[in-house]
Amino acid sequence: MFNKIMIPTDGSELSTAAALEGVAFAADNKSEVVGVYVAPEYQYPVYVEIIPPTYPIEEEYDSMMRKVGMEYLQPVQEAAKQAGVPFSSIVLFSNSAGSAIADAAKEQNCDLIFMGSHGRSGLGQLLLGSVTTKVLNLCQIPVLVHHIRKKK
């Protein structure tokens, strides 16, 4: 039914659990998986006149965040390998993760986005915002939302 599924993760325990469920879903549908991590864009320190020597330059930040992103995507890649699911990954830089995910899904020719949601509602969702809600509002392809709950 779906040929290529995008599975975003932010590296958190709950996001990784949802991503692993996404891989299982992809295996059941004999789909390819594109794992994605969205890092915040580089920010110059605006509070000082001279950049401190310990502050990373843009290239160092880019390299460091790509490494972090690949570490966060590693469990998803391993699950895909074990399930025999074709896997590719991308690390993006954006201050709007929802927009970046929706745009990347289109660019990668994905026909589904499988992502987790913490299930917040009301004031919690309003105050914290929701990448999942932003993707749902911006995306032109189906988005399967897997509600994830913290284990007690």
Side-chain angles (χ1 to χ4, degrees):
M1 187 155 106
F2 300 105
N3 295 318
K4 199 171 194 183
I5 301 173
M6 177 162 284
I7 303 177
T9 184
D10 63 10
S12 69
E13 182 182 335
L14 295 175
S15 180
T16 300
L20 297 178
E21 290 291 332
V23 170
F25 181 82
D28 290 344
N29 286 276
K30 298 179 179 28
S31 305
E32 178 181 343
V33 166
V34 178
V36 64
Y37 170 74
V38 182
E41 293 176 4
Y42 180 78
Q43 299 292 317
Y44 290 96
V46 294
Y47 52 88
V48 293
E49 292 180 25
I50 299 172
I51 297 176
T54 57
Y55 198 83
I57 62 172
E58 192 167 356
E59 291 80 14
E60 291 171 333
Y61 174 81
D62 182 76
S63 175
M64 185 173 37
M65 294 311 294
R66 287 186 189 283
K67 183 179 178 183
V68 166
M70 295 310 292
E71 287 175 9
Y72 290 162
L73 289 162
Q74 186 65 33
V76 185
Q77 182 177 8
E78 289 174 8
K81 183 177 179 181
Q82 289 178 356
V85 172
F87 180 84
S88 60
S89 61
I90 52 177
V91 175
L92 304 172
F93 291 84
S94 176
N95 289 330
S96 175
S99 295
I101 292 166
D103 291 344
K106 184 176 181 181
E107 290 169 12
Q108 295 289 321
N109 296 313
C110 295
D111 45 13
L112 177 72
I113 299 174
F114 187 108
M115 61 190 307
S117 172
H118 294 283
R120 293 185 188 101
S121 62
L123 188 58
Q125 183 178 10
L126 180 65
L127 291 175
L128 297 171
S130 170
V131 173
T132 303
T133 301
K134 290 174 187 168
V135 171
L136 286 166
N137 289 327
L138 295 170
C139 209
Q140 301 300 313
I141 64 171
V143 179
L144 194 156
V145 179
H146 178 74
H147 289 281
I148 47 182
R149 303 274 187 247
K150 210 177 217 181
K151 294 178 183 176
K152 295 182 180 185

Coordinates of all heavy atoms in Angstrom, one line a residue, residues 11-100:
G11 N 15.2 11.5 18.8 CA 16.2 10.9 19.6 C 15.7 10.5 21.0 O 16.4 9.8 21.7
S12 N 14.5 11.1 21.4 CA 14.0 10.8 22.7 C 13.5 9.3 22.8 O 13.3 8.7 21.8 CB 12.8 11.7 23.1 OG 11.7 11.4 22.2
E13 N 13.4 8.8 24.0 CA 12.9 7.4 24.2 C 11.6 7.2 23.5 O 11.4 6.2 22.9 CB 12.9 7.2 25.7 CG 12.4 5.7 26.0 CD 12.3 5.5 27.5 OE1 13.0 6.2 28.3 OE2 11.6 4.6 27.9
L14 N 10.7 8.1 23.7 CA 9.3 8.0 23.1 C 9.3 8.1 21.6 O 8.7 7.3 20.9 CB 8.4 9.0 23.7 CG 8.1 8.8 25.2 CD1 7.2 10.0 25.7 CD2 7.4 7.5 25.5
S15 N 10.1 9.0 21.1 CA 10.2 9.1 19.6 C 10.9 7.9 19.0 O 10.4 7.4 18.0 CB 11.0 10.4 19.3 OG 11.1 10.5 17.9
T16 N 11.9 7.3 19.7 CA 12.5 6.1 19.2 C 11.6 5.0 19.2 O 11.5 4.2 18.2 CB 13.8 5.8 20.0 OG1 14.7 6.9 19.9 CG2 14.5 4.6 19.5
A17 N 10.8 4.8 20.3 CA 9.8 3.8 20.3 C 8.8 3.9 19.2 O 8.4 2.9 18.5 CB 9.1 3.8 21.7
A18 N 8.3 5.1 18.9 CA 7.4 5.3 17.8 C 8.1 4.9 16.4 O 7.5 4.3 15.6 CB 6.9 6.7 17.7
A19 N 9.3 5.3 16.3 CA 10.1 5.0 15.1 C 10.2 3.5 14.8 O 10.1 3.0 13.7 CB 11.4 5.7 15.1
L20 N 10.5 2.8 15.9 CA 10.6 1.3 15.8 C 9.3 0.7 15.4 O 9.2 -0.3 14.6 CB 11.2 0.8 17.1 CG 12.6 1.2 17.5 CD1 13.0 0.6 18.8 CD2 13.6 0.9 16.4
E21 N 8.2 1.3 15.9 CA 6.8 0.8 15.5 C 6.6 1.1 14.0 O 6.0 0.3 13.3 CB 5.7 1.5 16.3 CG 5.7 1.0 17.8 CD 5.2 -0.4 17.9 OE1 4.5 -0.9 17.0 OE2 5.6 -1.1 18.9
G22 N 7.2 2.2 13.6 CA 7.1 2.6 12.2 C 7.8 1.6 11.3 O 7.4 1.3 10.2
V23 N 9.0 1.2 11.7 CA 9.7 0.2 11.0 C 8.9 -1.1 10.9 O 8.9 -1.8 9.8 CB 11.1 -0.1 11.6 CG1 11.8 -1.3 11.0 CG2 12.0 1.2 11.5
A24 N 8.3 -1.5 12.0 CA 7.5 -2.8 11.9 C 6.3 -2.6 11.0 O 6.0 -3.5 10.2 CB 7.0 -3.1 13.3
F25 N 5.7 -1.4 10.9 CA 4.6 -1.1 10.0 C 5.2 -1.2 8.6 O 4.5 -1.7 7.7 CB 4.1 0.3 10.3 CG 3.0 0.7 9.4 CD1 1.7 0.3 9.6 CD2 3.2 1.5 8.3 CE1 0.6 0.7 8.8 CE2 2.2 1.9 7.5 CZ 0.9 1.5 7.7
A26 N 6.4 -0.6 8.3 CA 7.0 -0.7 7.0 C 7.2 -2.1 6.6 O 7.0 -2.5 5.4 CB 8.2 0.2 7.0
A27 N 7.7 -2.9 7.5 CA 8.0 -4.3 7.2 C 6.7 -5.0 6.8 O 6.7 -5.8 5.8 CB 8.6 -5.0 8.4
D28 N 5.6 -4.8 7.5 CA 4.3 -5.4 7.2 C 3.8 -5.0 5.8 O 3.1 -5.8 5.2 CB 3.3 -5.0 8.3 CG 3.5 -5.7 9.6 OD1 4.3 -6.7 9.7 OD2 2.9 -5.2 10.6
N29 N 4.2 -3.8 5.4 CA 3.7 -3.2 4.1 C 4.7 -3.4 3.0 O 4.5 -2.9 1.9 CB 3.3 -1.8 4.3 CG 2.0 -1.6 5.0 OD1 1.0 -1.7 4.4 ND2 2.1 -1.4 6.3
K30 N 5.9 -4.0 3.3 CA 7.0 -4.2 2.4 C 7.4 -2.8 1.8 O 7.5 -2.7 0.6 CB 6.6 -5.2 1.3 CG 6.3 -6.6 1.8 CD 5.9 -7.5 0.8 CE 5.7 -8.9 1.2 NZ 5.2 -9.2 2.5
S31 N 7.6 -1.9 2.7 CA 7.9 -0.5 2.3 C 9.3 -0.2 2.6 O 10.0 -0.8 3.4 CB 7.0 0.5 3.0 OG 5.7 0.2 2.9
E32 N 9.8 0.8 1.9 CA 11.1 1.4 2.2 C 11.0 2.5 3.3 O 9.9 3.1 3.4 CB 11.7 2.0 0.9 CG 13.0 2.7 0.9 CD 13.4 3.3 -0.4 OE1 12.8 3.0 -1.4 OE2 14.2 4.2 -0.4
V33 N 12.0 2.7 4.1 CA 12.0 3.7 5.1 C 13.1 4.7 4.9 O 14.2 4.4 4.6 CB 12.2 3.0 6.5 CG1 12.5 4.0 7.6 CG2 11.0 2.2 6.9
V34 N 12.6 6.0 5.1 CA 13.6 7.1 5.2 C 13.5 7.7 6.6 O 12.5 8.2 7.0 CB 13.2 8.2 4.1 CG1 14.1 9.4 4.2 CG2 13.1 7.7 2.7
G35 N 14.6 7.5 7.3 CA 14.7 8.1 8.7 C 15.1 9.5 8.6 O 16.0 9.8 7.8
V36 N 14.6 10.4 9.4 CA 15.0 11.8 9.4 C 15.1 12.3 10.8 O 14.3 12.0 11.7 CB 14.0 12.6 8.5 CG1 12.6 12.6 9.1 CG2 14.5 14.0 8.3
Y37 N 16.1 13.1 11.0 CA 16.4 13.9 12.2 C 16.5 15.4 11.8 O 17.3 15.7 10.8 CB 17.6 13.4 12.9 CG 18.0 14.3 14.1 CD1 17.3 14.3 15.2 CD2 19.1 15.2 13.9 CE1 17.6 15.1 16.3 CE2 19.4 16.0 15.0 CZ 18.7 16.0 16.2 OH 19.0 16.8 17.2
V38 N 15.8 16.2 12.5 CA 15.9 17.7 12.2 C 16.6 18.4 13.3 O 16.1 18.4 14.5 CB 14.5 18.3 12.0 CG1 14.6 19.8 11.6 CG2 13.7 17.6 10.9
A39 N 17.7 18.9 13.0 CA 18.5 19.7 14.0 C 18.2 21.2 13.9 O 17.9 21.7 12.8 CB 20.0 19.4 13.8
P40 N 18.3 21.9 15.0 CA 18.1 23.3 14.9 C 19.2 24.0 14.1 O 20.3 23.5 14.1 CB 18.2 23.8 16.4 CG 18.2 22.6 17.2 CD 18.5 21.4 16.4
E41 N 18.9 25.1 13.4 CA 19.9 25.8 12.7 C 20.9 26.4 13.6 O 20.6 26.7 14.7 CB 19.2 26.9 11.8 CG 18.3 26.3 10.7 CD 17.6 27.4 10.0 OE1 17.8 28.6 10.2 OE2 16.8 27.0 9.1
Y42 N 22.1 26.6 13.0 CA 23.2 27.2 13.8 C 22.8 28.6 14.2 O 22.2 29.4 13.4 CB 24.4 27.3 12.9 CG 25.6 27.9 13.6 CD1 26.4 27.2 14.5 CD2 26.0 29.2 13.3 CE1 27.5 27.7 15.2 CE2 27.1 29.8 13.9 CZ 27.9 29.0 14.8 OH 29.0 29.6 15.5
Q43 N 23.1 29.0 15.4 CA 22.8 30.3 15.9 C 24.1 31.0 16.4 O 24.8 30.5 17.2 CB 21.8 30.3 17.1 CG 20.5 29.6 16.8 CD 19.7 30.5 15.9 OE1 19.6 31.7 16.0 NE2 19.0 29.9 14.9
Y44 N 24.3 32.2 15.8 CA 25.5 33.0 16.3 C 25.1 33.6 17.6 O 24.0 34.0 17.9 CB 25.8 34.1 15.3 CG 26.4 33.6 14.0 CD1 25.6 33.4 12.9 CD2 27.8 33.3 13.9 CE1 26.1 32.9 11.7 CE2 28.3 32.9 12.8 CZ 27.5 32.7 11.7 OH 28.0 32.2 10.5
P45 N 26.1 33.7 18.6 CA 25.7 34.3 19.9 C 25.5 35.8 19.7 O 26.4 36.5 19.2 CB 27.0 34.0 20.7 CG 28.1 33.8 19.7 CD 27.4 33.2 18.5
V46 N 24.3 36.2 20.0 CA 24.0 37.6 19.8 C 24.2 38.5 21.1 O 24.0 39.6 21.1 CB 22.5 37.8 19.4 CG1 22.4 37.2 18.0 CG2 21.6 37.1 20.3
Y47 N 24.6 37.8 22.1 CA 24.7 38.5 23.4 C 26.1 39.0 23.7 O 26.4 39.6 24.7 CB 24.3 37.5 24.6 CG 25.0 36.2 24.5 CD1 26.3 36.0 25.1 CD2 24.5 35.1 23.8 CE1 26.9 34.8 25.0 CE2 25.1 33.9 23.8 CZ 26.4 33.7 24.4 OH 27.0 32.5 24.3
V48 N 27.1 38.8 22.8 CA 28.4 39.3 22.9 C 28.9 39.9 21.6 O 28.4 39.6 20.6 CB 29.4 38.1 23.3 CG1 29.1 37.6 24.7 CG2 29.4 37.0 22.3
E49 N 29.9 40.7 21.8 CA 30.5 41.4 20.6 C 31.5 40.5 19.8 O 31.6 40.6 18.6 CB 31.2 42.7 21.0 CG 30.2 43.8 21.5 CD 30.9 45.0 21.9 OE1 32.0 45.3 21.3 OE2 30.3 45.8 22.7
I50 N 32.1 39.7 20.6 CA 33.1 38.8 20.0 C 32.7 37.3 20.3 O 32.4 37.0 21.4 CB 34.5 39.0 20.5 CG1 35.0 40.5 20.2 CG2 35.6 38.0 20.0 CD1 36.3 40.9 20.8
I51 N 32.8 36.5 19.3 CA 32.4 35.1 19.5 C 33.5 34.4 20.4 O 34.7 34.5 20.1 CB 32.3 34.3 18.2 CG1 31.2 34.9 17.4 CG2 32.1 32.8 18.4 CD1 31.0 34.3 16.0
P52 N 33.1 33.8 21.5 CA 34.0 33.2 22.5 C 34.8 32.1 21.7 O 34.2 31.4 20.9 CB 33.2 32.6 23.6 CG 31.9 33.3 23.5 CD 31.7 33.7 22.0
P53 N 36.0 31.8 22.1 CA 36.8 30.8 21.4 C 36.3 29.4 21.6 O 36.5 28.5 20.8 CB 38.2 30.9 22.0 CG 38.1 31.8 23.2 CD 36.8 32.6 23.1
T54 N 35.5 29.2 22.7 CA 34.9 27.9 23.0 C 33.6 27.6 22.2 O 33.1 26.5 22.2 CB 34.7 27.7 24.5 OG1 33.8 28.7 24.9 CG2 36.0 27.7 25.3
Y55 N 33.1 28.7 21.6 CA 31.8 28.6 20.9 C 32.1 27.9 19.5 O 33.0 28.3 18.8 CB 31.2 29.9 20.7 CG 29.7 29.9 20.3 CD1 28.8 29.8 21.3 CD2 29.3 30.0 19.0 CE1 27.4 29.7 21.0 CE2 27.9 29.9 18.7 CZ 27.0 29.8 19.7 OH 25.7 29.8 19.4
P56 N 31.4 26.8 19.2 CA 31.7 26.2 17.9 C 31.4 27.0 16.7 O 30.4 27.8 16.7 CB 30.8 24.9 17.9 CG 29.6 25.3 18.8 CD 30.2 26.3 19.8
I57 N 32.3 26.9 15.7 CA 32.0 27.6 14.4 C 30.9 26.8 13.7 O 30.6 25.7 14.1 CB 33.3 27.8 13.6 CG1 33.8 26.4 13.2 CG2 34.3 28.6 14.3 CD1 35.0 26.5 12.2
E58 N 30.3 27.4 12.7 CA 29.2 26.8 12.0 C 29.5 25.4 11.5 O 28.7 24.5 11.6 CB 28.7 27.7 10.9 CG 27.4 27.3 10.3 CD 26.8 28.3 9.4 OE1 27.3 29.4 9.3 OE2 25.7 28.0 8.8
E59 N 30.7 25.2 10.9 CA 31.1 23.9 10.4 C 31.2 22.8 11.4 O 30.8 21.7 11.2 CB 32.4 24.0 9.6 CG 32.3 24.8 8.3 CD 32.4 26.3 8.5 OE1 32.7 26.8 9.6 OE2 32.0 27.0 7.6
E60 N 31.7 23.2 12.6 CA 31.8 22.3 13.7 C 30.4 21.9 14.2 O 30.2 20.7 14.5 CB 32.6 22.9 14.9 CG 34.1 23.1 14.6 CD 34.8 23.9 15.7 OE1 34.1 24.7 16.4 OE2 36.0 23.7 15.9
Y61 N 29.6 22.9 14.3 CA 28.2 22.6 14.8 C 27.5 21.7 13.8 O 26.9 20.7 14.2 CB 27.4 24.0 14.9 CG 25.9 23.8 15.2 CD1 25.5 23.5 16.5 CD2 25.0 23.8 14.2 CE1 24.2 23.3 16.7 CE2 23.6 23.6 14.4 CZ 23.2 23.4 15.7 OH 21.9 23.1 16.0
D62 N 27.6 22.0 12.5 CA 27.0 21.2 11.4 C 27.5 19.7 11.6 O 26.7 18.8 11.6 CB 27.4 21.7 10.1 CG 26.7 20.9 8.9 OD1 25.5 21.1 8.7 OD2 27.5 20.2 8.3
S63 N 28.8 19.5 11.7 CA 29.4 18.2 11.8 C 28.9 17.5 13.1 O 28.5 16.3 13.1 CB 30.9 18.3 11.8 OG 31.5 17.0 12.1
M64 N 28.9 18.2 14.2 CA 28.4 17.7 15.5 C 27.0 17.2 15.4 O 26.6 16.1 15.9 CB 28.6 18.7 16.6 CG 28.3 18.2 18.0 SD 28.8 19.5 19.3 CE 28.4 21.0 18.5
M65 N 26.1 18.1 14.8 CA 24.7 17.7 14.8 C 24.4 16.6 13.8 O 23.5 15.8 14.0 CB 23.9 19.0 14.4 CG 23.9 20.0 15.5 SD 23.6 19.4 17.2 CE 21.9 18.9 17.1
R66 N 25.2 16.5 12.7 CA 25.0 15.4 11.8 C 25.4 14.1 12.5 O 24.7 13.0 12.4 CB 25.9 15.5 10.6 CG 25.3 16.6 9.6 CD 26.1 16.6 8.3 NE 25.6 17.8 7.6 CZ 24.5 17.9 6.9 NH1 23.7 16.8 6.9 NH2 24.2 18.9 6.2
K67 N 26.4 14.1 13.4 CA 26.8 12.9 14.1 C 25.7 12.6 15.1 O 25.3 11.4 15.3 CB 28.1 13.2 14.9 CG 28.7 12.0 15.6 CD 30.0 12.3 16.3 CE 30.4 11.1 17.1 NZ 31.7 11.4 17.8
V68 N 25.2 13.6 15.8 CA 24.1 13.3 16.8 C 22.9 12.7 16.1 O 22.3 11.7 16.5 CB 23.7 14.6 17.5 CG1 22.4 14.5 18.3 CG2 24.8 15.0 18.5
G69 N 22.5 13.3 14.9 CA 21.4 12.8 14.2 C 21.6 11.4 13.7 O 20.6 10.5 13.8
M70 N 22.8 11.0 13.3 CA 23.0 9.6 12.9 C 23.0 8.7 14.1 O 22.5 7.5 13.9 CB 24.4 9.5 12.1 CG 24.4 10.3 10.8 SD 23.0 10.0 9.7 CE 23.3 8.3 9.3
E71 N 23.4 9.1 15.2 CA 23.3 8.3 16.4 C 21.8 8.1 16.8 O 21.5 7.0 17.2 CB 24.0 9.0 17.6 CG 25.5 8.9 17.5 CD 26.2 9.7 18.6 OE1 25.6 10.2 19.6 OE2 27.5 9.9 18.5
Y72 N 21.0 9.1 16.7 CA 19.6 9.0 17.0 C 18.9 8.1 15.9 O 17.9 7.4 16.3 CB 18.9 10.3 17.0 CG 19.3 11.2 18.2 CD1 19.0 12.6 18.1 CD2 19.8 10.7 19.3 CE1 19.3 13.4 19.2 CE2 20.2 11.5 20.4 CZ 19.9 12.9 20.3 OH 20.2 13.7 21.4
L73 N 19.4 8.1 14.7 CA 18.8 7.2 13.7 C 19.3 5.8 13.7 O 18.7 4.9 13.1 CB 19.0 7.9 12.3 CG 18.2 9.1 12.0 CD1 18.8 9.9 10.9 CD2 16.7 8.8 11.8
Q74 N 20.4 5.5 14.4 CA 21.0 4.2 14.4 C 20.0 3.1 14.9 O 20.0 2.1 14.2 CB 22.2 4.2 15.3 CG 23.0 2.9 15.3 CD 23.7 2.7 13.9 OE1 24.0 3.6 13.2 NE2 23.8 1.4 13.6
P75 N 19.3 3.3 16.0 CA 18.3 2.2 16.3 C 17.3 1.9 15.2 O 16.9 0.8 15.1 CB 17.7 2.7 17.6 CG 18.5 3.8 18.1 CD 19.2 4.4 16.9
V76 N 16.9 2.9 14.6 CA 15.9 2.8 13.5 C 16.5 2.0 12.3 O 15.9 1.1 11.8 CB 15.4 4.2 13.0 CG1 14.2 4.0 12.0 CG2 14.9 5.0 14.2
Q77 N 17.8 2.4 12.0 CA 18.5 1.7 10.9 C 18.7 0.2 11.3 O 18.5 -0.7 10.4 CB 19.8 2.4 10.7 CG 20.6 1.7 9.5 CD 21.9 2.4 9.2 OE1 22.3 3.4 10.0 NE2 22.5 2.1 8.2
E78 N 19.1 -0.1 12.5 CA 19.3 -1.5 12.9 C 18.0 -2.3 12.9 O 18.0 -3.4 12.4 CB 19.9 -1.5 14.3 CG 21.3 -1.0 14.4 CD 21.8 -0.9 15.8 OE1 21.1 -1.3 16.8 OE2 22.9 -0.4 16.0
A79 N 16.9 -1.7 13.3 CA 15.6 -2.3 13.3 C 15.2 -2.6 11.8 O 14.7 -3.7 11.5 CB 14.5 -1.5 13.9
A80 N 15.4 -1.7 10.9 CA 15.1 -1.9 9.5 C 16.0 -3.0 8.9 O 15.4 -3.8 8.2 CB 15.3 -0.6 8.7
K81 N 17.2 -3.0 9.3 CA 18.1 -4.1 8.8 C 17.6 -5.5 9.2 O 17.5 -6.4 8.5 CB 19.5 -3.8 9.3 CG 20.5 -4.9 8.7 CD 21.9 -4.5 9.2 CE 22.9 -5.6 8.7 NZ 24.3 -5.3 9.1
Q82 N 17.3 -5.6 10.5 CA 16.8 -6.8 11.1 C 15.5 -7.3 10.4 O 15.2 -8.4 10.3 CB 16.6 -6.7 12.6 CG 17.9 -6.7 13.3 CD 17.7 -6.5 14.8 OE1 16.6 -6.4 15.3 NE2 18.8 -6.5 15.6
A83 N 14.6 -6.3 10.0 CA 13.3 -6.6 9.4 C 13.4 -6.7 7.9 O 12.5 -7.0 7.2 CB 12.3 -5.5 9.8
G84 N 14.6 -6.5 7.4 CA 14.8 -6.6 5.9 C 14.2 -5.5 5.1 O 13.7 -5.7 4.0
V85 N 14.1 -4.3 5.8 CA 13.5 -3.2 5.2 C 14.6 -2.2 4.6 O 15.5 -1.9 5.3 CB 12.6 -2.4 6.2 CG1 12.1 -1.1 5.7 CG2 11.5 -3.3 6.7
P86 N 14.5 -1.8 3.3 CA 15.4 -0.9 2.8 C 15.4 0.4 3.6 O 14.3 0.9 3.9 CB 15.0 -0.7 1.4 CG 14.1 -1.8 1.0 CD 13.5 -2.3 2.3
F87 N 16.5 1.0 3.9 CA 16.6 2.1 4.8 C 17.6 3.2 4.3 O 18.7 2.8 3.8 CB 17.1 1.7 6.2 CG 17.2 2.8 7.2 CD1 16.1 3.3 7.9 CD2 18.4 3.5 7.4 CE1 16.2 4.3 8.8 CE2 18.5 4.5 8.3 CZ 17.4 5.0 9.0
S88 N 17.2 4.4 4.3 CA 18.1 5.5 4.1 C 17.8 6.6 5.2 O 16.8 6.5 5.8 CB 17.9 6.1 2.7 OG 16.6 6.6 2.5
S89 N 18.7 7.5 5.4 CA 18.5 8.5 6.4 C 19.0 9.8 6.0 O 19.9 10.0 5.1 CB 19.3 8.1 7.7 OG 20.6 8.0 7.5
I90 N 18.4 10.9 6.6 CA 18.9 12.2 6.3 C 18.8 13.0 7.6 O 18.0 12.8 8.5 CB 18.0 12.9 5.2 CG1 16.5 12.8 5.5 CG2 18.3 12.4 3.8 CD1 15.6 13.6 4.5
V91 N 19.8 14.0 7.7 CA 19.8 14.9 8.8 C 19.6 16.3 8.2 O 20.3 16.7 7.2 CB 21.1 14.9 9.6 CG1 21.2 16.0 10.6 CG2 21.3 13.5 10.2
L92 N 18.6 17.0 8.7 CA 18.2 18.3 8.2 C 18.5 19.4 9.2 O 18.5 19.1 10.4 CB 16.7 18.3 7.8 CG 16.3 17.3 6.8 CD1 14.7 17.3 6.7 CD2 16.9 17.5 5.4
F93 N 18.6 20.6 8.8 CA 18.7 21.7 9.7 C 17.6 22.7 9.5 O 17.4 23.2 8.3 CB 20.1 22.4 9.4 CG 21.3 21.6 9.9 CD1 21.8 20.6 9.0 CD2 21.8 21.7 11.1 CE1 22.8 19.8 9.4 CE2 22.9 20.9 11.5 CZ 23.4 19.9 10.7
S94 N 16.8 23.0 10.5 CA 15.7 23.9 10.4 C 15.2 24.3 11.8 O 15.3 23.4 12.7 CB 14.6 23.3 9.6 OG 13.4 24.1 9.6
N95 N 14.8 25.5 11.9 CA 14.1 25.9 13.2 C 12.7 25.6 13.2 O 12.0 25.9 14.2 CB 14.4 27.3 13.5 CG 15.9 27.6 13.9 OD1 16.5 26.7 14.4 ND2 16.4 28.7 13.5
S96 N 12.2 25.0 12.1 CA 10.8 24.5 12.1 C 10.8 23.1 11.6 O 10.7 22.8 10.4 CB 10.0 25.4 11.1 OG 8.7 24.9 10.9
A97 N 10.9 22.2 12.6 CA 11.0 20.8 12.3 C 9.8 20.3 11.5 O 9.9 19.5 10.6 CB 11.1 20.0 13.6
G98 N 8.6 20.8 11.8 CA 7.4 20.3 11.1 C 7.5 20.6 9.6 O 7.2 19.8 8.8
S99 N 7.9 21.9 9.3 CA 8.0 22.3 7.9 C 9.1 21.4 7.2 O 8.9 21.0 6.0 CB 8.4 23.7 7.8 OG 7.4 24.5 8.2
A100 N 10.2 21.2 7.9 CA 11.3 20.5 7.3 C 10.9 19.0 7.0 O 11.3 18.5 5.9 CB 12.5 20.5 8.2

